[in-house]
Amino acid sequence: MGTVVDDAASVEFHAFFERHYAELSRLAYMLTGESDAADDLAADALLALWHRWDRVRAADHPVAYARGVVANLARTRIRSAVRERRRIALFWSQREEKTENPDVAGVVDVQGALRRLPFRKRACVVLRHAFDLSEKDTALAPGISVGTVKSQTSKGMAELQKLLGDRSVPQRVHAAMAPRAGQSGGRNR
């Protein structure tokens, strides 16, 4: 059971929420340009405020504090989106290669085996062997360390060799993931 102070704080926070949620959501929208993200950011900001409600309600300007929290969350989201766009651009900017008369059965086998790998191993294997990225460039795409790329690629290749029963896995991965002649190398750029 809550105490009288806890109940009073809860009522006070609820009133603050009702008065300022729409404004905070609007601020988040104006900062990010994303309506769905705006509601999430406002809710996340209010949750953070609730966890510090004793300090927030004692502040001279609790609404200004709340706006600052929203602005910081929006900045973090924007930075994250910029990093993600850079990773995607790096991923899709690699040279295009065309394969004439691919081994369709082999492509299906490799793609099926790749789908059986956990995502991180699959990403490392594909980036290293299908896109010929360096360990450093591979690490940038999913935001992991070079050491993780090395271990995940090694483990992923070992699992693929077991699944495919073949020592020529790197060449098969590369061939399976290469664009066909007449196709673009990826999504529209």
mmCIF file with all atom_site columns, all heavy atoms in Angstrom, residues 157-170:
data_model
loop_
_atom_site.group_PDB
_atom_site.id
_atom_site.type_symbol
_atom_site.label_atom_id
_atom_site.label_alt_id
_atom_site.label_comp_id
_atom_site.label_asym_id
_atom_site.label_entity_id
_atom_site.label_seq_id
_atom_site.pdbx_PDB_ins_code
_atom_site.Cartn_x
_atom_site.Cartn_y
_atom_site.Cartn_z
_atom_site.occupancy
_atom_site.B_iso_or_equiv
_atom_site.pdbx_formal_charge
_atom_site.auth_seq_id
_atom_site.auth_comp_id
_atom_site.auth_asym_id
_atom_site.auth_atom_id
_atom_site.pdbx_PDB_model_num
ATOM 1   N N   . MET A 1 157 ? 31.111 -19.336 -40.316 1.00 0.00 ? 157 MET A N   1
ATOM 2   C CA  . MET A 1 157 ? 31.648 -20.128 -41.424 1.00 0.00 ? 157 MET A CA  1
ATOM 3   C C   . MET A 1 157 ? 31.753 -21.604 -41.035 1.00 0.00 ? 157 MET A C   1
ATOM 4   O O   . MET A 1 157 ? 31.465 -22.481 -41.854 1.00 0.00 ? 157 MET A O   1
ATOM 5   C CB  . MET A 1 157 ? 33.011 -19.581 -41.857 1.00 0.00 ? 157 MET A CB  1
ATOM 6   C CG  . MET A 1 157 ? 32.936 -18.198 -42.491 1.00 0.00 ? 157 MET A CG  1
ATOM 7   S SD  . MET A 1 157 ? 31.860 -18.114 -43.926 1.00 0.00 ? 157 MET A SD  1
ATOM 8   C CE  . MET A 1 157 ? 32.860 -19.006 -45.102 1.00 0.00 ? 157 MET A CE  1
ATOM 9   N N   . ALA A 1 158 ? 32.138 -21.872 -39.801 1.00 0.00 ? 158 ALA A N   1
ATOM 10  C CA  . ALA A 1 158 ? 32.217 -23.267 -39.341 1.00 0.00 ? 158 ALA A CA  1
ATOM 11  C C   . ALA A 1 158 ? 30.824 -23.902 -39.363 1.00 0.00 ? 158 ALA A C   1
ATOM 12  O O   . ALA A 1 158 ? 30.671 -25.055 -39.798 1.00 0.00 ? 158 ALA A O   1
ATOM 13  C CB  . ALA A 1 158 ? 32.820 -23.327 -37.940 1.00 0.00 ? 158 ALA A CB  1
ATOM 14  N N   . GLU A 1 159 ? 29.819 -23.163 -38.914 1.00 0.00 ? 159 GLU A N   1
ATOM 15  C CA  . GLU A 1 159 ? 28.448 -23.702 -38.941 1.00 0.00 ? 159 GLU A CA  1
ATOM 16  C C   . GLU A 1 159 ? 27.979 -23.925 -40.375 1.00 0.00 ? 159 GLU A C   1
ATOM 17  O O   . GLU A 1 159 ? 27.332 -24.939 -40.673 1.00 0.00 ? 159 GLU A O   1
ATOM 18  C CB  . GLU A 1 159 ? 27.494 -22.754 -38.208 1.00 0.00 ? 159 GLU A CB  1
ATOM 19  C CG  . GLU A 1 159 ? 27.663 -22.774 -36.702 1.00 0.00 ? 159 GLU A CG  1
ATOM 20  C CD  . GLU A 1 159 ? 26.709 -21.836 -35.985 1.00 0.00 ? 159 GLU A CD  1
ATOM 21  O OE1 . GLU A 1 159 ? 25.526 -21.757 -36.382 1.00 0.00 ? 159 GLU A OE1 1
ATOM 22  O OE2 . GLU A 1 159 ? 27.142 -21.192 -35.010 1.00 0.00 ? 159 GLU A OE2 1
ATOM 23  N N   . LEU A 1 160 ? 28.310 -22.989 -41.276 1.00 0.00 ? 160 LEU A N   1
ATOM 24  C CA  . LEU A 1 160 ? 27.925 -23.166 -42.683 1.00 0.00 ? 160 LEU A CA  1
ATOM 25  C C   . LEU A 1 160 ? 28.608 -24.382 -43.293 1.00 0.00 ? 160 LEU A C   1
ATOM 26  O O   . LEU A 1 160 ? 27.993 -25.121 -44.062 1.00 0.00 ? 160 LEU A O   1
ATOM 27  C CB  . LEU A 1 160 ? 28.269 -21.913 -43.492 1.00 0.00 ? 160 LEU A CB  1
ATOM 28  C CG  . LEU A 1 160 ? 27.355 -20.713 -43.297 1.00 0.00 ? 160 LEU A CG  1
ATOM 29  C CD1 . LEU A 1 160 ? 27.886 -19.507 -44.076 1.00 0.00 ? 160 LEU A CD1 1
ATOM 30  C CD2 . LEU A 1 160 ? 25.928 -21.022 -43.703 1.00 0.00 ? 160 LEU A CD2 1
ATOM 31  N N   . GLN A 1 161 ? 29.873 -24.599 -42.959 1.00 0.00 ? 161 GLN A N   1
ATOM 32  C CA  . GLN A 1 161 ? 30.574 -25.774 -43.487 1.00 0.00 ? 161 GLN A CA  1
ATOM 33  C C   . GLN A 1 161 ? 29.906 -27.060 -43.019 1.00 0.00 ? 161 GLN A C   1
ATOM 34  O O   . GLN A 1 161 ? 29.774 -28.012 -43.783 1.00 0.00 ? 161 GLN A O   1
ATOM 35  C CB  . GLN A 1 161 ? 32.048 -25.743 -43.093 1.00 0.00 ? 161 GLN A CB  1
ATOM 36  C CG  . GLN A 1 161 ? 32.833 -24.709 -43.887 1.00 0.00 ? 161 GLN A CG  1
ATOM 37  C CD  . GLN A 1 161 ? 34.281 -24.573 -43.444 1.00 0.00 ? 161 GLN A CD  1
ATOM 38  O OE1 . GLN A 1 161 ? 34.654 -25.022 -42.375 1.00 0.00 ? 161 GLN A OE1 1
ATOM 39  N NE2 . GLN A 1 161 ? 35.069 -23.928 -44.282 1.00 0.00 ? 161 GLN A NE2 1
ATOM 40  N N   . LYS A 1 162 ? 29.451 -27.079 -41.759 1.00 0.00 ? 162 LYS A N   1
ATOM 41  C CA  . LYS A 1 162 ? 28.734 -28.267 -41.258 1.00 0.00 ? 162 LYS A CA  1
ATOM 42  C C   . LYS A 1 162 ? 27.405 -28.426 -41.989 1.00 0.00 ? 162 LYS A C   1
ATOM 43  O O   . LYS A 1 162 ? 27.034 -29.528 -42.380 1.00 0.00 ? 162 LYS A O   1
ATOM 44  C CB  . LYS A 1 162 ? 28.473 -28.142 -39.757 1.00 0.00 ? 162 LYS A CB  1
ATOM 45  C CG  . LYS A 1 162 ? 29.687 -28.367 -38.905 1.00 0.00 ? 162 LYS A CG  1
ATOM 46  C CD  . LYS A 1 162 ? 29.343 -28.212 -37.432 1.00 0.00 ? 162 LYS A CD  1
ATOM 47  C CE  . LYS A 1 162 ? 30.588 -28.238 -36.564 1.00 0.00 ? 162 LYS A CE  1
ATOM 48  N NZ  . LYS A 1 162 ? 30.289 -27.919 -35.169 1.00 0.00 ? 162 LYS A NZ  1
ATOM 49  N N   . LEU A 1 163 ? 26.683 -27.309 -42.155 1.00 0.00 ? 163 LEU A N   1
ATOM 50  C CA  . LEU A 1 163 ? 25.373 -27.369 -42.804 1.00 0.00 ? 163 LEU A CA  1
ATOM 51  C C   . LEU A 1 163 ? 25.479 -27.734 -44.279 1.00 0.00 ? 163 LEU A C   1
ATOM 52  O O   . LEU A 1 163 ? 24.645 -28.480 -44.800 1.00 0.00 ? 163 LEU A O   1
ATOM 53  C CB  . LEU A 1 163 ? 24.648 -26.027 -42.667 1.00 0.00 ? 163 LEU A CB  1
ATOM 54  C CG  . LEU A 1 163 ? 24.192 -25.641 -41.262 1.00 0.00 ? 163 LEU A CG  1
ATOM 55  C CD1 . LEU A 1 163 ? 23.724 -24.193 -41.217 1.00 0.00 ? 163 LEU A CD1 1
ATOM 56  C CD2 . LEU A 1 163 ? 23.067 -26.572 -40.803 1.00 0.00 ? 163 LEU A CD2 1
ATOM 57  N N   . LEU A 1 164 ? 26.503 -27.217 -44.956 1.00 0.00 ? 164 LEU A N   1
ATOM 58  C CA  . LEU A 1 164 ? 26.635 -27.428 -46.395 1.00 0.00 ? 164 LEU A CA  1
ATOM 59  C C   . LEU A 1 164 ? 27.551 -28.598 -46.738 1.00 0.00 ? 164 LEU A C   1
ATOM 60  O O   . LEU A 1 164 ? 27.586 -29.039 -47.891 1.00 0.00 ? 164 LEU A O   1
ATOM 61  C CB  . LEU A 1 164 ? 27.147 -26.153 -47.073 1.00 0.00 ? 164 LEU A CB  1
ATOM 62  C CG  . LEU A 1 164 ? 26.202 -24.953 -46.986 1.00 0.00 ? 164 LEU A CG  1
ATOM 63  C CD1 . LEU A 1 164 ? 26.893 -23.694 -47.463 1.00 0.00 ? 164 LEU A CD1 1
ATOM 64  C CD2 . LEU A 1 164 ? 24.929 -25.214 -47.776 1.00 0.00 ? 164 LEU A CD2 1
ATOM 65  N N   . GLY A 1 165 ? 28.317 -29.070 -45.737 1.00 0.00 ? 165 GLY A N   1
ATOM 66  C CA  . GLY A 1 165 ? 29.220 -30.190 -45.974 1.00 0.00 ? 165 GLY A CA  1
ATOM 67  C C   . GLY A 1 165 ? 30.265 -29.878 -47.029 1.00 0.00 ? 165 GLY A C   1
ATOM 68  O O   . GLY A 1 165 ? 30.571 -30.701 -47.868 1.00 0.00 ? 165 GLY A O   1
ATOM 69  N N   . ASP A 1 166 ? 30.818 -28.682 -46.988 1.00 0.00 ? 166 ASP A N   1
ATOM 70  C CA  . ASP A 1 166 ? 31.693 -28.230 -48.063 1.00 0.00 ? 166 ASP A CA  1
ATOM 71  C C   . ASP A 1 166 ? 32.746 -27.283 -47.514 1.00 0.00 ? 166 ASP A C   1
ATOM 72  O O   . ASP A 1 166 ? 32.460 -26.435 -46.677 1.00 0.00 ? 166 ASP A O   1
ATOM 73  C CB  . ASP A 1 166 ? 30.832 -27.498 -49.090 1.00 0.00 ? 166 ASP A CB  1
ATOM 74  C CG  . ASP A 1 166 ? 31.549 -27.236 -50.391 1.00 0.00 ? 166 ASP A CG  1
ATOM 75  O OD1 . ASP A 1 166 ? 32.785 -27.259 -50.424 1.00 0.00 ? 166 ASP A OD1 1
ATOM 76  O OD2 . ASP A 1 166 ? 30.834 -26.993 -51.384 1.00 0.00 ? 166 ASP A OD2 1
ATOM 77  N N   . ARG A 1 167 ? 33.972 -27.399 -48.009 1.00 0.00 ? 167 ARG A N   1
ATOM 78  C CA  . ARG A 1 167 ? 35.044 -26.514 -47.576 1.00 0.00 ? 167 ARG A CA  1
ATOM 79  C C   . ARG A 1 167 ? 35.091 -25.222 -48.396 1.00 0.00 ? 167 ARG A C   1
ATOM 80  O O   . ARG A 1 167 ? 35.773 -24.291 -48.044 1.00 0.00 ? 167 ARG A O   1
ATOM 81  C CB  . ARG A 1 167 ? 36.395 -27.217 -47.684 1.00 0.00 ? 167 ARG A CB  1
ATOM 82  C CG  . ARG A 1 167 ? 36.536 -28.323 -46.694 1.00 0.00 ? 167 ARG A CG  1
ATOM 83  C CD  . ARG A 1 167 ? 37.405 -27.873 -45.557 1.00 0.00 ? 167 ARG A CD  1
ATOM 84  N NE  . ARG A 1 167 ? 37.511 -28.936 -44.580 1.00 0.00 ? 167 ARG A NE  1
ATOM 85  C CZ  . ARG A 1 167 ? 37.313 -28.727 -43.297 1.00 0.00 ? 167 ARG A CZ  1
ATOM 86  N NH1 . ARG A 1 167 ? 37.018 -27.555 -42.844 1.00 0.00 ? 167 ARG A NH1 1
ATOM 87  N NH2 . ARG A 1 167 ? 37.432 -29.718 -42.463 1.00 0.00 ? 167 ARG A NH2 1
ATOM 88  N N   . SER A 1 168 ? 34.377 -25.155 -49.523 1.00 0.00 ? 168 SER A N   1
ATOM 89  C CA  . SER A 1 168 ? 34.421 -23.968 -50.380 1.00 0.00 ? 168 SER A CA  1
ATOM 90  C C   . SER A 1 168 ? 33.317 -22.976 -50.019 1.00 0.00 ? 168 SER A C   1
ATOM 91  O O   . SER A 1 168 ? 32.816 -22.271 -50.875 1.00 0.00 ? 168 SER A O   1
ATOM 92  C CB  . SER A 1 168 ? 34.299 -24.369 -51.846 1.00 0.00 ? 168 SER A CB  1
ATOM 93  O OG  . SER A 1 168 ? 33.034 -24.972 -52.069 1.00 0.00 ? 168 SER A OG  1
ATOM 94  N N   . VAL A 1 169 ? 32.952 -22.925 -48.746 1.00 0.00 ? 169 VAL A N   1
ATOM 95  C CA  . VAL A 1 169 ? 31.841 -22.069 -48.299 1.00 0.00 ? 169 VAL A CA  1
ATOM 96  C C   . VAL A 1 169 ? 32.058 -20.597 -48.643 1.00 0.00 ? 169 VAL A C   1
ATOM 97  O O   . VAL A 1 169 ? 31.139 -19.957 -49.136 1.00 0.00 ? 169 VAL A O   1
ATOM 98  C CB  . VAL A 1 169 ? 31.564 -22.281 -46.793 1.00 0.00 ? 169 VAL A CB  1
ATOM 99  C CG1 . VAL A 1 169 ? 30.597 -21.254 -46.268 1.00 0.00 ? 169 VAL A CG1 1
ATOM 100 C CG2 . VAL A 1 169 ? 31.014 -23.677 -46.573 1.00 0.00 ? 169 VAL A CG2 1
ATOM 101 N N   . PRO A 1 170 ? 33.239 -19.994 -48.418 1.00 0.00 ? 170 PRO A N   1
ATOM 102 C CA  . PRO A 1 170 ? 33.378 -18.571 -48.743 1.00 0.00 ? 170 PRO A CA  1
ATOM 103 C C   . PRO A 1 170 ? 33.026 -18.264 -50.204 1.00 0.00 ? 170 PRO A C   1
ATOM 104 O O   . PRO A 1 170 ? 32.317 -17.301 -50.486 1.00 0.00 ? 170 PRO A O   1
ATOM 105 C CB  . PRO A 1 170 ? 34.841 -18.258 -48.449 1.00 0.00 ? 170 PRO A CB  1
ATOM 106 C CG  . PRO A 1 170 ? 35.247 -19.262 -47.433 1.00 0.00 ? 170 PRO A CG  1
ATOM 107 C CD  . PRO A 1 170 ? 34.467 -20.500 -47.782 1.00 0.00 ? 170 PRO A CD  1
#
